[in-house]
Amino acid sequence: MITIRPVPRALVPTDSAAAGRISAPNYDEFQSDREIWELLQQRPEAVLRVTMAHCHTDRFEDVLPEGSEAALSRARQEMTRFCESDDTRTLADILWVYEIVSPRRPNLRQIGLGGYARTAEIRTDQTPDGTIIRNEGVRPDKAEGRARLITATSAYIGTVNCAVRDRSGELTAALESHADAQSADYETRDEAGNRHRVWLVQDGATRGVLQRLLAAEPAAYVADGNHRSAAAASLGKEHFLAVFFPTDRLHLEPYNRLLPACDVDGDAMLTGLADAFEVSPLGNLPGYRPEAVHDIGLYCESGWYRLIPKPGSFDASDAAQSIDAAIVQRHILDGMLGLADARDKRINYVGGNKDAAYLKARVDSGQYRFALSLAPVTMDQFIAVCEQGRFMPPKSTWFDPKIRSGLVSALL
């Protein structure tokens, strides 16, 4: 059973124009502080001025250390201004229907139900029967950083993306029926052209119907936002902000890697990989994006290569070991480069909002020696890992499009 409750005090945009001004990507969609700072120069009213307050400066040279007391103080001040802005209003006891449509997949409506999920339903060692199943381990430092921001702002701004199977299709049908029966309360497009629409659900009878449909789901899988949910739990909060999407409406993009040399040149890398992979040269292509799992692209100074894991290079019965990110971690990052800790700061994880040409350019510039281009994880793989009680390898799932920050926040 999955519980969803109305948000007692929700902060939402006043209209679509306001949604366009204040909404923004999540904090973890950026490659650097420079990217965040540049977006804030263009759109100073964006909610990033709260979630990434350390970058809310006139000059890039004045960017503060993320998570510092000075940055948290600035976040607190900016949250007050955000609440007092003419672009926001406060509503009581709402759920919401949230739809995202990508221009690359115009016929796929990523539609879900938003509200308060219960921290008590998160599956942990202490609550092994929990019905909200995480897909990755939680790093205490990251969860603490999110918790400190929640405390500083007295708000939930980041939303957790949860996936449900909806085998009957009844939840999806009800969400689409509600959305098709009336105009959205507000909508906006993001930097990639994805259209985000929100229908606020304030009617008690409608809320009850949608709550009962979600309650019929035996489990939900955290697709994005493990640390946001963990932060709420660590603070002793009863709820966290979430949207529940049916799995057949979610889409995954690649999660790639840029790697340092670690005293290994291209020839040594290719020779060393022959034991675990079939290696085929592809030449100096502009980029290479594999479309199927167990098809991996490697770029170095001599061009692109296709790597196919050999039988025995991973345990096919283990859903987590079978993920390409785990295979390259074991045989390339650890086995060849000595980067045993996937959290090593020398590894640059590049989400699906950057293409393979971007990877090539970073290697060609001399900033990195190697790039790995991976196929997207499939939803079947993702669910299999969760249902085996395992965690996904670090930085292996990039759900796209992502929930946009600032479209619904919760005031505590």
Side-chain angles (χ1 to χ4, degrees), residues 48-218:
L48 283 171
R49 73 190 212 232
V50 180
T51 58
M52 300 300 278
H54 69 291
C55 293
H56 188 42
T57 64
D58 291 335
R59 301 188 313 153
F60 182 70
E61 293 77 10
D62 296 330
V63 165
L64 297 168
E66 184 178 1
S68 65
E69 290 301 327
L72 290 170
S73 176
R74 182 177 294 168
R76 186 179 301 110
Q77 295 167 4
E78 290 299 330
M79 187 66 199
T80 299
R81 296 188 183 101
F82 194 60
C83 292
E84 295 172 349
S85 166
D86 291 339
D87 282 336
T88 61
R89 56 185 172 136
T90 304
L91 298 177
D93 299 324
I94 67 158
L95 299 178
W96 68 97
V97 175
Y98 183 23
E99 179 195 79
I100 317 174
V101 176
S102 167
R104 292 179 291 175
R105 295 172 293 278
N107 298 319
L108 181 66
R109 300 174 71 180
Q110 181 177 320
I111 194 165
L113 179 63
Y116 262 166
R118 295 186 65 221
T119 53
E121 292 179 5
I122 299 172
R123 184 174 297 180
T124 66
D125 291 341
Q126 292 72 40
T127 54
D129 296 325
T131 51
I132 298 177
I133 304 171
R134 289 177 173 151
N135 72 72
E136 65 179 28
V138 171
R139 289 175 52 185
D141 59 328
K142 287 186 66 176
E144 181 184 356
R146 294 299 98 197
R148 295 179 72 200
L149 182 66
I150 291 169
T151 301
T153 59
S154 295
Y156 297 138
I157 299 174
T159 306
V160 180
N161 177 342
C162 293
V164 293
R165 300 298 287 271
D166 189 27
R167 294 183 186 275
S168 70
E170 292 182 37
L171 176 61
T172 304
L175 295 171
E176 290 186 337
S177 177
H178 181 84
D180 293 341
Q182 56 243 300
S183 299
D185 286 275
Y186 46 89
E187 65 178 84
T188 187
R189 291 187 183 270
D190 63 25
E191 292 75 13
N194 302 306
R195 184 185 67 187
H196 300 251
R197 295 199 291 176
V198 173
W199 292 261
L200 302 170
V201 183
Q202 297 175 279
D203 173 68
T206 305
R207 288 201 311 255
V209 169
L210 296 174
Q211 285 175 295
R212 287 192 291 275
L213 288 171
L214 186 62
E217 293 295 321

